[in-house]
Every structure is written in structure tokens, then in C-alpha cells.
Coordinates of all heavy atoms in Angstrom, one line a residue:
M1 N 156.0 167.4 133.9 CA 157.0 166.5 134.4 C 158.1 167.3 135.0 O 158.6 168.4 134.5 CB 157.6 165.7 133.2 CG 156.9 164.6 132.8 SD 157.0 163.2 134.0 CE 156.3 161.9 133.1
P2 N 158.6 166.8 136.2 CA 159.8 167.5 136.7 C 161.0 167.4 135.8 O 161.2 166.4 135.1 CB 160.1 166.8 138.0 CG 159.0 165.8 138.2 CD 158.2 165.7 136.9
A3 N 161.8 168.5 135.8 CA 163.1 168.4 135.0 C 164.3 168.6 136.0 O 164.4 169.7 136.6 CB 163.0 169.5 134.0
F4 N 165.0 167.6 136.2 CA 166.0 167.6 137.1 C 167.5 167.4 136.5 O 168.4 167.1 137.2 CB 165.9 166.5 138.1 CG 164.8 166.7 139.1 CD1 163.5 165.9 139.0 CD2 164.8 167.6 140.1 CE1 162.5 166.1 139.8 CE2 163.8 167.8 141.0 CZ 162.7 167.0 140.9
E5 N 167.5 167.6 135.2 CA 168.7 167.5 134.4 C 169.9 168.0 135.2 O 171.0 167.4 135.3 CB 168.7 168.0 133.1 CG 167.8 167.2 132.2 CD 166.3 167.8 132.2 OE1 166.2 168.8 132.8 OE2 165.5 167.0 131.8
N6 N 169.8 169.2 135.8 CA 170.9 169.8 136.4 C 171.0 169.7 137.9 O 171.9 170.1 138.6 CB 170.8 171.4 136.2 CG 171.0 171.7 134.7 OD1 171.8 171.1 134.0 ND2 170.3 172.6 134.3
A7 N 170.0 168.9 138.4 CA 170.0 168.7 139.9 C 170.4 167.2 140.2 O 170.4 166.9 141.4 CB 168.6 168.8 140.4
K8 N 170.7 166.4 139.2 CA 171.1 165.0 139.5 C 172.3 165.0 140.3 O 173.3 165.8 140.1 CB 171.3 164.3 138.2 CG 170.1 163.9 137.5 CD 170.3 163.1 136.2 CE 169.0 162.8 135.5 NZ 169.2 162.3 134.2
P9 N 172.4 164.1 141.3 CA 173.5 163.9 142.1 C 174.8 163.6 141.3 O 174.7 162.9 140.3 CB 173.2 162.8 143.1 CG 171.7 162.6 143.0 CD 171.3 163.2 141.7
T10 N 175.9 164.2 141.6 CA 177.1 163.9 140.9 C 178.0 162.9 141.6 O 179.0 163.3 142.2 CB 177.9 165.2 140.6 OG1 178.1 165.8 141.8 CG2 177.1 166.0 139.6
L11 N 177.5 161.7 141.8 CA 178.2 160.7 142.6 C 179.3 160.0 141.8 O 179.1 159.7 140.6 CB 177.2 159.6 143.1 CG 176.0 160.2 143.8 CD1 175.0 159.1 144.2 CD2 176.4 160.9 145.1
K12 N 180.4 159.9 142.4 CA 181.6 159.3 141.7 C 181.9 158.0 142.6 O 182.0 158.1 143.8 CB 182.7 160.1 141.6 CG 182.5 161.4 140.7 CD 183.7 162.3 140.6 CE 183.4 163.5 139.7 NZ 183.5 164.7 140.4
L13 N 182.2 156.9 141.8 CA 182.6 155.6 142.5 C 183.8 155.8 143.4 O 184.7 156.5 143.0 CB 182.8 154.6 141.5 CG 182.2 153.2 141.6 CD1 180.7 153.3 141.5 CD2 182.7 152.2 140.8
G14 N 183.7 155.3 144.7 CA 184.9 155.3 145.5 C 184.9 156.6 146.3 O 185.8 156.7 147.2
E15 N 184.1 157.5 146.0 CA 184.1 158.8 146.7 C 183.2 158.9 147.9 O 182.0 158.3 147.8 CB 183.8 159.9 145.7 CG 184.0 161.4 146.3 CD 183.7 162.4 145.1 OE1 184.4 162.3 144.2 OE2 182.7 163.2 145.3
I16 N 183.6 159.3 149.0 CA 182.6 159.5 150.2 C 181.9 160.8 150.0 O 182.5 161.9 149.8 CB 183.5 159.5 151.5 CG1 184.3 158.2 151.7 CG2 182.5 159.7 152.7 CD1 183.5 157.0 151.8
V17 N 180.6 160.7 150.1 CA 179.7 162.0 150.0 C 179.6 162.6 151.4 O 179.6 161.9 152.4 CB 178.4 161.7 149.4 CG1 178.5 161.2 148.0 CG2 177.6 160.7 150.2
S18 N 179.5 163.8 151.3 CA 179.1 164.7 152.6 C 177.7 164.3 153.0 O 176.9 163.8 152.2 CB 179.3 166.1 152.3 OG 178.3 166.6 151.4
D19 N 177.4 164.6 154.3 CA 176.1 164.4 154.8 C 175.0 165.2 153.9 O 174.0 164.8 153.6 CB 175.9 164.8 156.2 CG 176.6 163.8 157.1 OD1 177.1 162.7 156.6 OD2 176.9 164.2 158.3
E20 N 175.4 166.4 153.6 CA 174.5 167.3 152.8 C 174.3 166.7 151.4 O 173.1 166.8 150.9 CB 175.0 168.7 152.8 CG 174.1 169.7 152.1 CD 172.7 169.8 152.8 OE1 172.7 169.6 154.0 OE2 171.7 169.9 152.1
E21 N 175.3 166.2 150.8 CA 175.1 165.6 149.4 C 174.2 164.3 149.5 O 173.4 164.1 148.7 CB 176.5 165.3 148.8 CG 176.4 164.7 147.4 CD 175.9 165.6 146.3 OE1 175.8 166.9 146.6 OE2 175.5 165.1 145.3
L22 N 174.4 163.6 150.6 CA 173.7 162.4 150.8 C 172.2 162.8 150.9 O 171.3 162.2 150.2 CB 174.1 161.7 152.1 CG 173.2 160.4 152.4 CD1 173.3 159.4 151.3 CD2 173.8 159.9 153.8
I23 N 171.9 163.8 151.7 CA 170.5 164.3 151.9 C 169.9 164.8 150.6 O 168.8 164.4 150.2 CB 170.4 165.4 153.0 CG1 170.7 164.7 154.4 CG2 169.1 166.2 153.0 CD1 171.0 165.7 155.4
R24 N 170.7 165.6 149.8 CA 170.2 166.1 148.5 C 170.0 164.9 147.6 O 169.0 165.0 146.8 CB 171.2 167.1 148.0 CG 171.2 168.4 148.7 CD 172.3 169.3 148.4 NE 172.7 169.4 147.0 CZ 173.8 169.8 146.3 NH1 174.8 170.2 147.2 NH2 174.0 169.8 145.1
S25 N 170.8 164.0 147.6 CA 170.6 162.8 146.7 C 169.3 162.0 147.0 O 168.6 161.6 146.1 CB 171.8 161.8 146.8 OG 172.9 162.4 146.3
I26 N 169.1 161.9 148.3 CA 167.8 161.2 148.8 C 166.6 162.0 148.4 O 165.6 161.4 147.9 CB 167.8 160.9 150.3 CG1 169.0 160.0 150.7 CG2 166.5 160.3 150.7 CD1 169.1 158.7 150.0
R27 N 166.7 163.3 148.4 CA 165.6 164.1 148.0 C 165.3 163.9 146.5 O 164.2 163.8 146.0 CB 165.8 165.6 148.3 CG 165.8 166.1 149.7 CD 165.9 167.5 149.7 NE 166.2 168.1 151.1 CZ 167.3 168.8 151.4 NH1 168.1 169.2 150.5 NH2 167.4 169.2 152.6
Y28 N 166.4 163.8 145.8 CA 166.3 163.7 144.4 C 165.7 162.3 144.0 O 164.8 162.2 143.2 CB 167.7 163.8 143.7 CG 167.7 163.5 142.2 CD1 167.3 164.4 141.3 CD2 168.0 162.2 141.8 CE1 167.3 164.1 139.9 CE2 167.9 161.9 140.5 CZ 167.6 162.9 139.5 OH 167.6 162.6 138.2
F29 N 166.2 161.3 144.8 CA 165.6 159.9 144.5 C 164.1 159.8 144.9 O 163.4 159.1 144.2 CB 166.4 158.9 145.4 CG 167.9 158.8 145.0 CD1 168.8 158.4 146.0 CD2 168.3 159.1 143.7 CE1 170.1 158.4 145.6 CE2 169.7 159.0 143.4 CZ 170.6 158.6 144.3
I30 N 163.7 160.6 145.8 CA 162.2 160.6 146.2 C 161.5 161.1 145.0 O 160.5 160.6 144.5 CB 161.9 161.4 147.5 CG1 162.6 160.6 148.7 CG2 160.4 161.7 147.6 CD1 162.7 161.6 150.0
A31 N 162.0 162.2 144.4 CA 161.3 162.8 143.3 C 161.3 161.8 142.1 O 160.3 161.8 141.4 CB 162.0 164.2 142.9
A32 N 162.4 161.1 141.9 CA 162.5 160.2 140.8 C 161.5 159.0 141.0 O 161.0 158.6 140.0 CB 164.0 159.6 140.7
E33 N 161.3 158.6 142.2 CA 160.3 157.5 142.5 C 158.9 158.0 142.0 O 158.2 157.3 141.4 CB 160.3 157.1 143.9 CG 161.6 156.5 144.4 CD 161.9 155.2 143.7 OE1 161.1 154.6 143.1 OE2 163.1 154.7 144.0
Y34 N 158.5 159.3 142.4 CA 157.2 159.8 142.1 C 157.1 159.9 140.5 O 156.1 159.8 139.9 CB 156.9 161.1 142.8 CG 156.5 160.8 144.2 CD1 157.3 161.4 145.3 CD2 155.4 160.0 144.5 CE1 156.9 161.2 146.6 CE2 155.1 159.8 145.9 CZ 155.9 160.4 146.9 OH 155.5 160.2 148.2
E35 N 158.2 160.5 139.9 CA 158.2 160.6 138.4 C 158.0 159.1 137.8 O 157.3 159.1 136.8 CB 159.5 161.1 138.0 CG 159.5 161.5 136.5 CD 160.8 162.1 136.0 OE1 161.9 161.9 136.7 OE2 160.7 163.0 135.1
A36 N 158.6 158.1 138.3 CA 158.4 156.8 137.8 C 157.0 156.3 137.9 O 156.4 155.7 137.1 CB 159.4 155.8 138.5
V37 N 156.4 156.6 139.1 CA 155.0 156.3 139.3 C 154.1 156.9 138.2 O 153.3 156.3 137.6 CB 154.5 156.7 140.7 CG1 152.9 156.6 140.8 CG2 155.1 156.0 141.8
Q38 N 154.4 158.2 137.9 CA 153.6 159.0 136.9 C 153.9 158.3 135.5 O 152.9 158.1 134.8 CB 154.0 160.4 136.9 CG 153.5 161.2 135.8 CD 152.0 161.3 135.7 OE1 151.3 161.0 136.6 NE2 151.5 161.6 134.5
M39 N 155.1 158.0 135.2 CA 155.3 157.5 133.9 C 154.8 156.1 133.7 O 154.1 155.9 132.6 CB 156.9 157.4 133.7 CG 157.4 158.8 133.4 SD 159.3 158.9 133.4 CE 159.8 157.3 132.8
Y40 N 154.8 155.2 134.6 CA 154.3 153.9 134.5 C 152.8 153.9 134.5 O 152.2 153.1 133.7 CB 154.8 152.9 135.6 CG 156.3 152.9 135.8 CD1 156.9 152.6 137.0 CD2 157.1 153.1 134.7 CE1 158.3 152.4 137.2 CE2 158.5 153.0 134.8 CZ 159.1 152.7 136.0 OH 160.5 152.7 136.2
T41 N 152.2 154.8 135.3 CA 150.7 154.8 135.3 C 150.2 155.4 134.0 O 149.2 154.9 133.5 CB 150.3 155.7 136.5 OG1 150.8 155.2 137.7 CG2 148.8 155.7 136.6
Q42 N 150.8 156.3 133.6 CA 150.4 157.0 132.3 C 150.6 156.1 131.1 O 149.6 156.0 130.3 CB 151.4 158.2 132.0 CG 150.8 159.2 130.9 CD 151.7 160.5 130.9 OE1 152.6 160.6 131.7 NE2 151.4 161.3 130.0
L43 N 151.6 155.3 131.0 CA 151.8 154.3 130.0 C 150.7 153.2 130.1 O 150.2 152.7 129.1 CB 153.2 153.7 130.0 CG 153.6 152.9 128.8 CD1 153.4 153.6 127.4 CD2 155.0 152.3 128.8
A44 N 150.5 152.7 131.4 CA 149.5 151.8 131.6 C 148.1 152.2 131.1 O 147.4 151.4 130.5 CB 149.4 151.4 133.1
E45 N 147.8 153.5 131.3 CA 146.6 154.0 130.8 C 146.5 154.1 129.2 O 145.5 154.2 128.7 CB 146.3 155.4 131.4 CG 146.0 155.3 132.9 CD 145.9 156.6 133.6 OE1 146.3 157.6 133.0 OE2 145.7 156.6 134.8
M46 N 147.7 154.1 128.6 CA 147.8 154.3 127.1 C 147.8 153.1 126.4 O 147.6 153.1 125.2 CB 149.0 155.2 126.8 CG 148.9 156.6 127.4 SD 150.4 157.6 127.2 CE 150.5 157.7 125.5
T47 N 148.1 151.9 127.0 CA 148.3 150.7 126.2 C 147.0 149.9 126.3 O 146.2 150.0 127.2 CB 149.5 149.9 126.8 OG1 149.6 148.7 125.9 CG2 149.2 149.4 128.2
D48 N 146.8 149.1 125.2 CA 145.7 148.1 125.2 C 146.3 146.8 125.5 O 145.5 145.8 125.4 CB 144.8 148.2 123.9 CG 145.6 148.0 122.7 OD1 146.9 147.6 122.9 OD2 145.0 148.0 121.6
N49 N 147.6 146.7 125.8 CA 148.1 145.4 126.2 C 147.9 145.1 127.6 O 148.4 145.8 128.5 CB 149.6 145.4 125.8 CG 150.3 144.0 126.1 OD1 150.1 143.5 127.2 ND2 150.9 143.5 125.1
E50 N 147.0 144.1 127.9 CA 146.5 143.9 129.2 C 147.7 143.5 130.2 O 147.7 143.9 131.4 CB 145.5 142.7 129.2 CG 144.6 142.6 130.5 CD 143.5 141.5 130.2 OE1 142.9 141.5 129.1 OE2 143.3 140.7 131.2
L51 N 148.6 142.6 129.7 CA 149.7 142.2 130.5 C 150.7 143.4 130.9 O 151.0 143.6 132.1 CB 150.6 141.2 129.8 CG 151.9 140.7 130.4 CD1 151.6 140.1 131.9 CD2 152.7 139.7 129.6
A52 N 151.0 144.2 129.9 CA 151.8 145.3 130.1 C 151.2 146.3 131.1 O 151.8 146.8 132.0 CB 152.1 146.0 128.8
E53 N 149.9 146.5 131.0 CA 149.2 147.4 131.9 C 149.3 146.9 133.3 O 149.6 147.7 134.2 CB 147.7 147.5 131.4 CG 146.9 148.4 132.3 CD 145.4 148.4 132.0 OE1 145.0 147.9 131.0 OE2 144.7 149.0 132.8
A54 N 149.0 145.6 133.5 CA 149.0 145.0 134.8 C 150.4 145.1 135.4 O 150.6 145.5 136.6 CB 148.6 143.5 134.8
V55 N 151.5 144.8 134.6 CA 152.9 144.9 135.1 C 153.2 146.3 135.5 O 153.8 146.6 136.5 CB 153.9 144.2 134.2 CG1 155.3 144.5 134.6 CG2 153.6 142.7 134.0
L56 N 152.9 147.3 134.6 CA 153.2 148.7 134.8 C 152.6 149.1 136.1 O 153.2 149.9 136.9 CB 152.8 149.5 133.7 CG 153.7 149.4 132.4 CD1 153.0 149.9 131.2 CD2 155.1 150.1 132.6
L57 N 151.3 148.8 136.3 CA 150.6 149.3 137.6 C 151.2 148.6 138.8 O 151.2 149.3 139.9 CB 149.1 149.0 137.4 CG 148.4 149.9 136.4 CD1 146.9 149.5 136.2 CD2 148.5 151.4 136.7
D58 N 151.6 147.4 138.6 CA 152.2 146.7 139.8 C 153.6 147.4 140.2 O 153.8 147.6 141.3 CB 152.4 145.2 139.4 CG 153.0 144.5 140.6 OD1 152.3 144.3 141.6 OD2 154.2 143.9 140.5
I59 N 154.3 147.7 139.2 CA 155.6 148.4 139.4 C 155.4 149.7 140.0 O 156.1 150.2 140.9 CB 156.5 148.4 138.1 CG1 156.8 146.9 137.7 CG2 157.8 149.2 138.4 CD1 157.5 146.9 136.3
A60 N 154.4 150.5 139.5 CA 154.1 151.8 140.0 C 153.8 151.7 141.5 O 154.2 152.6 142.3 CB 153.0 152.4 139.3
E61 N 153.1 150.7 141.9 CA 152.8 150.5 143.4 C 154.1 150.3 144.1 O 154.3 150.8 145.2 CB 151.8 149.3 143.6 CG 150.5 149.5 143.0 CD 149.6 150.4 143.9 OE1 149.8 150.3 145.2 OE2 148.9 151.1 143.4
E62 N 155.0 149.5 143.5 CA 156.3 149.3 144.2 C 157.1 150.5 144.3 O 157.9 150.8 145.3 CB 157.1 148.2 143.4 CG 156.5 146.8 143.5 CD 157.2 145.9 142.6 OE1 158.4 146.1 142.2 OE2 156.6 144.8 142.2
E63 N 157.0 151.4 143.3 CA 157.7 152.7 143.5 C 157.2 153.6 144.6 O 158.0 154.3 145.2 CB 157.6 153.5 142.1 CG 158.1 152.8 140.9 CD 159.5 152.3 140.9 OE1 160.3 152.6 141.9 OE2 159.9 151.5 140.0
L64 N 156.0 153.4 144.9 CA 155.5 154.2 146.1 C 156.1 153.7 147.3 O 156.3 154.4 148.3 CB 153.9 154.0 146.1 CG 153.1 154.9 145.0 CD1 151.7 154.6 145.1 CD2 153.4 156.4 145.2
V65 N 156.3 152.4 147.4 CA 157.0 151.7 148.5 C 158.4 152.3 148.6 O 158.8 152.6 149.7 CB 157.0 150.2 148.5 CG1 157.8 149.6 149.6 CG2 155.6 149.6 148.5
H66 N 159.1 152.4 147.5 CA 160.4 152.9 147.5 C 160.4 154.4 147.9 O 161.3 154.8 148.7 CB 161.0 152.9 146.1 CG 161.2 151.5 145.5 ND1 161.4 151.2 144.2 CD2 161.1 150.3 146.1 CE1 161.6 149.9 144.0 NE2 161.3 149.3 145.2
A67 N 159.4 155.1 147.5 CA 159.3 156.5 148.0 C 159.2 156.6 149.4 O 159.8 157.4 150.1 CB 158.1 157.2 147.3
G68 N 158.4 155.7 150.0 CA 158.2 155.7 151.5 C 159.5 155.3 152.2 O 159.9 155.9 153.2
E69 N 160.3 154.3 151.6 CA 161.5 154.0 152.2 C 162.5 155.2 152.2 O 163.2 155.5 153.2 CB 162.1 152.8 151.4 CG 161.5 151.5 151.6 CD 162.1 150.4 150.9 OE1 162.0 150.3 149.6 OE2 162.8 149.6 151.5
F70 N 162.5 155.9 151.1 CA 163.5 157.1 151.0 C 163.0 158.1 152.0 O 163.8 158.8 152.6 CB 163.5 157.6 149.6 CG 164.4 156.8 148.7 CD1 164.0 156.4 147.5 CD2 165.7 156.5 149.1 CE1 164.9 155.6 146.6 CE2 166.6 155.8 148.2 CZ 166.2 155.3 147.0
L71 N 161.6 158.4 152.1 CA 161.2 159.4 153.0 C 161.5 159.1 154.4 O 161.9 160.0 155.2 CB 159.6 159.5 152.8 CG 159.2 160.3 151.6 CD1 157.8 160.1 151.3 CD2 159.4 161.8 151.8
R72 N 161.3 157.8 154.8 CA 161.7 157.4 156.2 C 163.2 157.6 156.4 O 163.6 158.0 157.5 CB 161.3 156.0 156.3 CG 161.6 155.4 157.7 CD 160.9 156.2 158.8 NE 161.3 155.7 160.2 CZ 162.3 156.4 160.8 NH1 163.0 157.3 160.3 NH2 162.6 155.9 162.0
L73 N 164.0 157.3 155.4 CA 165.5 157.5 155.6 C 165.7 159.0 155.6 O 166.6 159.3 156.5 CB 166.2 156.8 154.3 CG 167.7 157.1 154.3 CD1 168.4 156.5 155.4 CD2 168.2 156.5 152.9
L74 N 165.1 159.8 154.9 CA 165.3 161.2 154.9 C 165.0 161.8 156.3 O 165.6 162.6 156.9 CB 164.5 162.0 153.8 CG 164.7 163.4 153.7 CD1 166.2 163.7 153.3 CD2 163.8 164.0 152.7
K75 N 163.9 161.2 156.9 CA 163.4 161.6 158.2 C 164.6 161.3 159.2 O 164.8 162.2 160.1 CB 162.2 160.9 158.7 CG 161.7 161.2 160.1 CD 160.5 160.4 160.4 CE 159.9 160.9 161.7 NZ 158.8 160.0 162.1
E76 N 165.3 160.3 159.1 CA 166.4 159.9 159.9 C 167.6 160.8 159.6 O 168.3 161.3 160.6 CB 166.8 158.5 159.6 CG 167.3 157.7 160.9 CD 166.4 157.7 162.1 OE1 165.1 157.8 161.9 OE2 166.9 157.8 163.1
L77 N 167.9 161.1 158.4 CA 169.2 161.8 158.0 C 168.9 163.3 158.1 O 169.9 164.0 158.4 CB 169.5 161.5 156.5 CG 169.8 160.1 156.1 CD1 170.0 159.9 154.6 CD2 171.0 159.7 156.9
S78 N 167.7 163.8 158.0 CA 167.5 165.2 158.1 C 166.2 165.5 158.8 O 165.2 165.8 158.1 CB 167.4 165.8 156.7 OG 167.2 167.2 156.8
P79 N 166.2 165.5 160.1 CA 165.0 165.8 160.9 C 164.4 167.2 160.5 O 163.2 167.4 160.7 CB 165.4 165.7 162.4 CG 166.7 164.9 162.3 CD 167.3 165.1 161.0
K80 N 165.3 168.0 160.1 CA 164.9 169.4 159.7 C 163.9 169.3 158.5 O 162.9 170.1 158.4 CB 166.2 170.2 159.2 CG 165.9 171.7 159.2 CD 167.2 172.5 158.9 CE 167.5 172.4 157.5 NZ 168.8 173.2 157.1
D81 N 164.2 168.5 157.5 CA 163.2 168.2 156.4 C 161.9 167.8 156.9 O 160.8 168.3 156.5 CB 163.8 167.2 155.4 CG 164.8 167.8 154.5 OD1 165.6 168.6 154.8 OD2 164.7 167.3 153.3
W82 N 162.0 166.8 157.8 CA 160.7 166.2 158.3 C 159.9 167.2 159.1 O 158.6 167.3 158.9 CB 161.0 165.0 159.3 CG 159.8 164.1 159.3 CD1 159.0 164.2 160.4 CD2 159.2 163.3 158.4 NE1 157.9 163.3 160.2 CE2 158.0 162.8 158.9 CE3 159.6 162.9 157.1 CZ2 157.3 161.9 158.2 CZ3 158.8 162.0 156.4 CH2 157.7 161.5 157.0
K83 N 160.5 168.2 159.8 CA 159.8 169.2 160.4 C 159.1 170.0 159.4 O 157.9 170.4 159.7 CB 160.8 170.2 161.2 CG 161.2 169.6 162.5 CD 160.1 170.0 163.6 CE 160.4 169.4 164.9 NZ 159.3 168.9 165.6
K84 N 159.6 170.3 158.3 CA 158.9 171.0 157.2 C 157.7 170.3 156.7 O 156.7 170.9 156.4 CB 159.9 171.3 156.0 CG 161.0 172.3 156.4 CD 160.4 173.7 156.7 CE 161.5 174.7 157.1 NZ 160.9 176.0 157.6
Y85 N 157.9 169.0 156.6 CA 156.8 168.1 156.1 C 155.6 168.2 157.2 O 154.4 168.4 156.9 CB 157.1 166.7 155.9 CG 158.1 166.4 154.8 CD1 159.1 165.5 154.9 CD2 158.0 167.2 153.7 CE1 160.0 165.3 153.9 CE2 158.9 167.0 152.6 CZ 159.9 166.0 152.8 OH 160.7 165.7 151.7
E86 N 156.0 168.1 158.4 CA 154.9 168.3 159.5 C 154.3 169.6 159.5 O 153.1 169.7 159.7 CB 155.7 167.9 160.9 CG 156.0 166.5 161.0 CD 156.7 166.2 162.4 OE1 157.3 167.1 163.0 OE2 156.6 165.1 162.8
E87 N 155.0 170.6 159.2 CA 154.3 171.9 159.0 C 153.3 171.9 157.9 O 152.2 172.4 158.0 CB 155.4 173.1 158.7 CG 156.2 173.5 159.8 CD 157.3 174.6 159.3 OE1 156.9 175.4 158.5 OE2 158.4 174.5 159.8
G88 N 153.7 171.2 156.8 CA 152.7 171.1 155.7 C 151.5 170.3 156.2 O 150.4 170.6 155.8
F89 N 151.8 169.2 156.8 CA 150.7 168.3 157.3 C 149.7 169.2 158.1 O 148.5 169.1 158.0 CB 151.1 167.2 158.3 CG 152.0 166.2 157.5 CD1 152.9 165.4 158.3 CD2 152.1 166.1 156.1 CE1 153.7 164.5 157.7 CE2 152.9 165.2 155.5 CZ 153.8 164.4 156.3
E90 N 150.3 170.0 159.0 CA 149.5 170.8 159.9 C 148.7 171.9 159.1 O 147.5 172.1 159.5 CB 150.3 171.6 161.0 CG 150.8 170.7 162.1 CD 149.7 170.1 162.9 OE1 148.7 171.0 163.3 OE2 149.7 169.0 163.2
E91 N 149.2 172.4 158.1 CA 148.6 173.4 157.4 C 147.4 172.8 156.7 O 146.2 173.5 156.6 CB 149.5 174.1 156.3 CG 150.5 175.1 157.0 CD 151.5 175.7 156.0 OE1 151.2 175.7 154.7 OE2 152.5 176.2 156.5
V92 N 147.5 171.6 156.2 CA 146.3 171.0 155.5 C 145.3 170.6 156.6 O 144.1 170.7 156.3 CB 146.8 169.7 154.8 CG1 145.7 168.9 154.3 CG2 147.7 170.1 153.6
E93 N 145.8 170.1 157.8 CA 144.8 169.8 158.9 C 144.0 171.0 159.2 O 142.8 170.9 159.4 CB 145.6 169.3 160.1 CG 146.2 168.0 160.0 CD 145.3 166.9 159.7 OE1 144.1 166.9 160.2 OE2 145.7 165.9 159.1
E94 N 144.6 172.2 159.2 CA 143.8 173.4 159.5 C 142.8 173.7 158.4 O 141.6 174.1 158.7 CB 144.8 174.7 159.6 CG 145.7 174.7 160.8 CD 146.8 175.7 160.8 OE1 146.7 176.7 160.0 OE2 147.8 175.5 161.5
I95 N 143.1 173.5 157.2 CA 142.2 173.7 156.0 C 141.1 172.7 156.1 O 139.9 173.0 156.0 CB 142.9 173.6 154.6 CG1 143.9 174.8 154.5 CG2 141.9 173.5 153.6 CD1 144.9 174.6 153.4
I96 N 141.4 171.4 156.5 CA 140.3 170.4 156.6 C 139.4 170.8 157.8 O 138.1 170.7 157.6 CB 141.0 169.0 157.0 CG1 141.8 168.5 155.7 CG2 139.9 168.0 157.5 CD1 142.6 167.3 156.0
E97 N 139.9 171.2 158.9 CA 139.1 171.7 160.0 C 138.2 172.9 159.6 O 137.0 172.9 160.0 CB 140.0 172.0 161.2 CG 140.5 170.9 161.9 CD 139.5 169.8 162.3 OE1 138.4 170.2 162.9 OE2 139.8 168.6 162.1
K98 N 138.7 173.9 158.8 CA 137.9 175.0 158.4 C 136.8 174.5 157.5 O 135.7 175.0 157.6 CB 138.8 176.0 157.6 CG 139.6 176.9 158.5 CD 140.4 177.9 157.6 CE 141.3 178.7 158.4 NZ 142.3 179.4 157.5
L99 N 137.1 173.5 156.6 CA 136.0 173.1 155.7 C 134.9 172.3 156.4 O 133.8 172.2 155.9 CB 136.7 172.2 154.6 CG 137.5 173.0 153.6 CD1 138.2 172.0 152.6 CD2 136.7 174.0 152.8
K100 N 135.3 171.7 157.6 CA 134.3 171.0 158.3 C 133.2 171.9 159.0 O 132.2 171.5 159.3 CB 135.0 170.2 159.5 CG 135.6 168.9 158.9 CD 136.2 168.2 160.1 CE 136.9 166.9 159.6 NZ 137.7 166.2 160.7
K101 N 133.6 173.2 159.2 CA 132.7 174.1 159.9 C 131.6 174.7 159.0 O 131.7 174.7 157.9 CB 133.5 175.3 160.5 CG 134.4 174.7 161.6 CD 135.3 175.9 162.1 CE 136.3 175.3 163.1 NZ 137.3 176.4 163.5
Ligands
LIG201 FE1 162.0 152.6 142.6

């Protein structure tokens, strides 16, 4: 499990955050969405309560939508971050191509 205790945004009501703090907060929220997916899925797998399992898995799917929303927002706020993701995509594409040969 990721441990972000010291990385949580320190947002204060009524305060305007800098662009950099906004970007860092969005990155943190993306990680929190994936952590929620993991926790809900794990608990769904551990319970024998059919209703709880179904609801947890449904919410886990919604968290993936939230992650997508935050990622799209991050792309807008920090194109530099997105460039790094694209680098990662390209590196995997290269591996996929190598494995096809
Ligand atoms: Fe969420």
C-alpha cells in the first residue's frame, strides 16, 4: 500500500493554492483513487456478503472513472507530466514490438 501520510496536500480553507500545489494535489488525488480501487476490490474479495461485494466492486469501477478525470485534468494543468506518461507509453510499445519479433 502506498504511504502518503507526509505527502498529503496541506490545503487550508479560503487560501488560494499555487499552480504547483494544485498539480501536486491532483497527483496525490490520482494515487488516492487507485488506492481506493485496491481497498474496495480487496474487501469485496474477502467478504461473503453478496450485496457488499457487488456495491464495493461498483464503487471501485467509479473510482477508476475518477482517476481518469484527474488524469485528464492533470494533462491540462501540467503538460510536462503528460509528456512523461507518453514516454512511458512509448517504452512499453517498444517492449511490445520486441516481443512480437
Ligand atoms: Fe473517487
